[in-house]
Amino acid sequence: NAGVTQTPKFRVLKTGQSMTLLCAQDMNHEYMYWYRQDPGMGLRLIHYSVGEGTTAKGEVPDGYNVSRLKKQNFLLGLESAAPSQTSVYFCASSRPYFNTEAFFGQGTRLTVV
Amino acid sequence: DAKTTQPPSMDCAEGRAANLPCNHSTISGNEYVYWYRQIHSQGPQYIIHGLKNNETNEMASLIITEDRKSSTLILPHATLRDTAVYYCIVRVLESNTGKLIFGQGTTLQVKP
């Protein structure tokens, strides 16, 4: 099973460039999440979605946009990348029950120069 | 804000039990405690979760105090491959989002 797949795995951007990170899950999960992790820190929630066509802000949403046009995909966009957005980005998905685990992707390492 | 408090680091001898504590004094009655670990900045890996009863699976045991204000993750026979950052998480129920709010975690170093 593929589980949660993130594309790309690595990327270097120049300041001001834009890009989209793709998260795809094949488990038919309703809930999807985008996190970022800076060196030596825990994961921080950027945006999340509780179903197709719905998104909401997390702890650190500034500078990011998201879309959930299809249930299996959750896209994270950076319209104008900044060096402060250099981080490792993780996507996760889960069923809509709080006694079930969330599954994480392997991360996208983004460097903005 | 994270709803859990963990020691920043711990050591454990290989083959011995690793006991990782977590405080979650503000946990609500129907919120679950989850444990994940992260090895070498890979994606977090699910370990175990519980509500109020002790739980055990093939990876670990979870002991939750009767008042639910703290818990302990037990790795019964730690190996070098268990060296990782361990996160204790309260899964947030507000607005039916099921968000996992991470804290700083405990870095467990298993030594030969």
Side-chain angles (χ1 to χ4, degrees), chain B residues 79-106:
Chain B
T79 71
L80 298 179
R81 287 179 293 183
D82 291 322
T83 293
V85 179
Y86 287 78
Y87 294 99
C88 170
I89 301 161
V90 171
R91 193 159 195 189
V92 176
L93 296 183
E94 65 185 51
S95 303
N96 286 327
T97 62
K99 295 181 287 187
L100 293 166
I101 304 299
F102 286 75
Q104 301 281 27
T106 296

Side-chain angles (χ1 to χ4, degrees), chain B:
Chain B
D1 291 333
K3 300 181 70 173
T4 63
T5 304
Q6 300 176 251
S9 63
M10 293 182 63
D11 290 341
C12 177
E14 187 177 19
R16 303 296 293 271
N19 296 279
L20 289 83
C22 178
N23 288 321
H24 32 78
S25 58
T26 62
I27 192 170
S28 298
N30 54 355
E31 290 180 331
Y32 284 78
V33 178
Y34 278 77
W35 283 84
Y36 279 77
R37 72 181 183 183
Q38 190 176 28
I39 300 173
H40 296 311
S41 296
Q42 296 175 10
Q45 175 190 22
Y46 167 80
I47 300 173
I48 199 167
H49 72 276
L51 182 63
K52 54 184 178 181
N53 297 319
N54 297 339
E55 302 288 345
T56 295
N57 62 21
E58 65 278 6
M59 290 183 66
S61 295
L62 174 61
I63 308 298
I64 302 175
T65 57
E66 191 170 346
D67 63 7
R68 301 212 327 121
K69 292 185 177 181
S70 65
S71 60
T72 300
L73 177 74
I74 302 172
L75 307 178
H77 305 287
T79 71
L80 298 179
R81 287 179 293 183
D82 291 322
T83 293
V85 179
Y86 287 78
Y87 294 99
C88 170
I89 301 161
V90 171
R91 193 159 195 189
V92 176
L93 296 183
E94 65 185 51
S95 303
N96 286 327
T97 62
K99 295 181 287 187
L100 293 166
I101 304 299
F102 286 75
Q104 301 281 27
T106 296
T107 298
L108 175 68
Q109 182 73 45
V110 180
K111 298 184 175 182

Side-chain angles (χ1 to χ4, degrees), chain A residues 23-66:
Chain A
C23 176
Q25 52 94 5
D26 62 1
M27 296 171 283
N28 201 34
H29 285 168
E30 285 77 8
Y31 288 9
M32 297 187 75
Y33 310 89
W34 273 109
Y35 289 87
R36 62 176 286 175
Q37 185 175 33
D38 299 323
M41 298 184 65
L43 280 70
R44 292 184 292 168
L45 184 63
I46 306 172
H47 285 281
Y48 62 96
S49 169
V50 298
E52 182 178 323
T54 70
T55 63
K57 295 179 180 180
E59 303 169 90
V60 289
D62 294 342
Y64 305 95
N65 56 75
V66 288

